[in-house]
Amino acid sequence: EPEVTQTPSHQVTQMGQEVILRCVPISNHLYFYWYRQILGQKVEFLVSFYNNEISEKSEIFDDQFSVERPDGSNFTLKIRSTKLEDSAMYFCASSPGLAAYEQYFGPGTRLTVT
Amino acid sequence: AQTVTQSQPEMSVQEAETVTLSCTYDTSESDYYLFWYKQPPSRQMILVIRQEAYKQQNATENRFSVNFQKAAKSFSLKISDSQLGDAAMYFCAYRSAGTASKLTFGTGTRLQVTL
């Protein structure tokens, strides 16, 4: 069964450094999402992406964040200058499109900012 | 904005028994979807069950069923014949009917399954 994959599974970085989290959505999916989950808290929406542009973003998704689909298969989340409070689990999700409503989640990347 | 509330931070059930997890939501929309996701210790988000708001019939997936009360904005999950593998965090989530709509999650309920 096709699945969403994410790399790396765990990333440790120093405050102020740039990180790129990578996701490979399911191949025929058209809608892509990033969510994050701070340890012990609920899952929060960051951004949705369709047709090579952002569809919606949350208040969390400020100028430090950006998303890209550089090559038609990968979907990346970049954090330009990480802060301690960016430490969280980051989930990528994808969805097929109009007639479908389920989002398929990847296994997540645990980001630790020190 | 839509909100999802799970008022039970933790629940416990004995193996083979039945447990019900509660969820309420607030929305002004008439068309939407509701979901229950399971998050085991691996932290992968796994879809358990979904409900379309326009359907009156409650969704069922094997041992999992929901009680969807649209007027009351309530969406509870019933797990029958609980198994040790059901132990996890369970998140209730709301999604508007638009194609690229985000999921809005509740704070989760941690379910323990005891022998």
Side-chain angles (χ1 to χ4, degrees):
Chain A
E1 186 174 330
E3 57 183 23
V4 177
T5 60
Q6 290 184 244
T7 55
S9 57
H10 188 198
Q11 172 95 44
V12 181
T13 189
Q14 288 190 327
M15 196 167 51
Q17 295 296 305
E18 174 183 286
V19 294
I20 297 176
L21 309 183
R22 290 183 169 80
C23 168
V24 179
I26 295 172
S27 64
N28 61 344
H29 285 191
L30 301 176
Y31 296 85
F32 314 112
Y33 308 83
W34 283 102
Y35 294 84
R36 81 169 185 192
Q37 185 184 31
I38 295 170
L39 187 63
Q41 298 186 22
K42 66 177 177 181
V43 179
E44 300 174 291
F45 168 76
L46 290 177
V47 66
S48 58
F49 192 84
Y50 168 70
N51 200 26
N52 283 319
E53 61 183 30
I54 291 173
S55 303
E56 185 180 0
K57 59 183 180 180
S58 72
E59 293 173 352
I60 304 168
F61 194 88
D62 60 21
D63 292 344
Q64 293 298 313
F65 292 88
S66 62
V67 289
E68 196 176 39
R69 190 154 160 82
D71 56 12
S73 62
N74 289 283
F75 179 50
T76 62
L77 174 69
K78 183 193 292 187
I79 309 175
R80 288 190 184 79
S81 178
T82 50
K83 308 183 191 73
L84 293 176
E85 53 265 39
D86 293 328
S87 295
M89 195 79 165
Y90 288 81
F91 292 102
C92 173
S94 69
S95 177
L98 290 174
Y101 36 80
E102 180 175 344
Q103 294 180 18
Y104 296 78
F105 280 78
T109 292
R110 183 154 67 102
L111 176 65
T112 302
V113 182
T114 61
Chain B
Q2 293 80 29
T3 58
V4 178
T5 302
Q6 293 179 251
S7 58
Q8 305 155 317
E10 288 192 16
M11 292 283 285
S12 183
V13 63
Q14 283 193 322
E15 201 177 16
E17 297 296 306
T18 295
V19 65
T20 299
L21 309 184
S22 301
C23 173
T24 58
Y25 59 95
D26 189 28
T27 184
S28 58
E29 298 173 334
S30 59
D31 196 13
Y32 49 87
Y33 305 102
L34 297 164
F35 304 85
W36 279 97
Y37 279 88
K38 172 185 178 182
Q39 187 181 44
S42 67
R43 302 192 75 182
Q44 172 95 47
M45 296 292 285
I46 302 165
L47 179 67
V48 174
I49 199 166
R50 63 172 167 249
Q51 175 78 44
E52 296 90 330
Y54 63 85
K55 289 187 178 178
Q56 291 188 331
Q57 188 173 10
N58 289 322
T60 299
E61 286 287 341
N62 301 314
R63 298 183 296 107
F64 298 88
S65 61
V66 298
N67 183 5
F68 173 50
Q69 302 287 330
K70 191 172 184 179
K73 295 179 182 171
S74 169
F75 181 61
S76 60
L77 174 69
K78 185 170 83 170
I79 306 174
S80 304
D81 186 26
S82 297
Q83 300 173 358
L84 293 177
D86 295 334
M89 280 291 284
Y90 286 81
F91 291 96
C92 178
Y94 173 102
R95 182 181 181 284
S96 299
T99 52
S101 296
K102 64 181 183 287
L103 288 165
T104 299
F105 287 88
T107 50
T109 296
R110 182 172 301 282
L111 179 66
Q112 291 184 320
V113 181
T114 58
L115 293 171

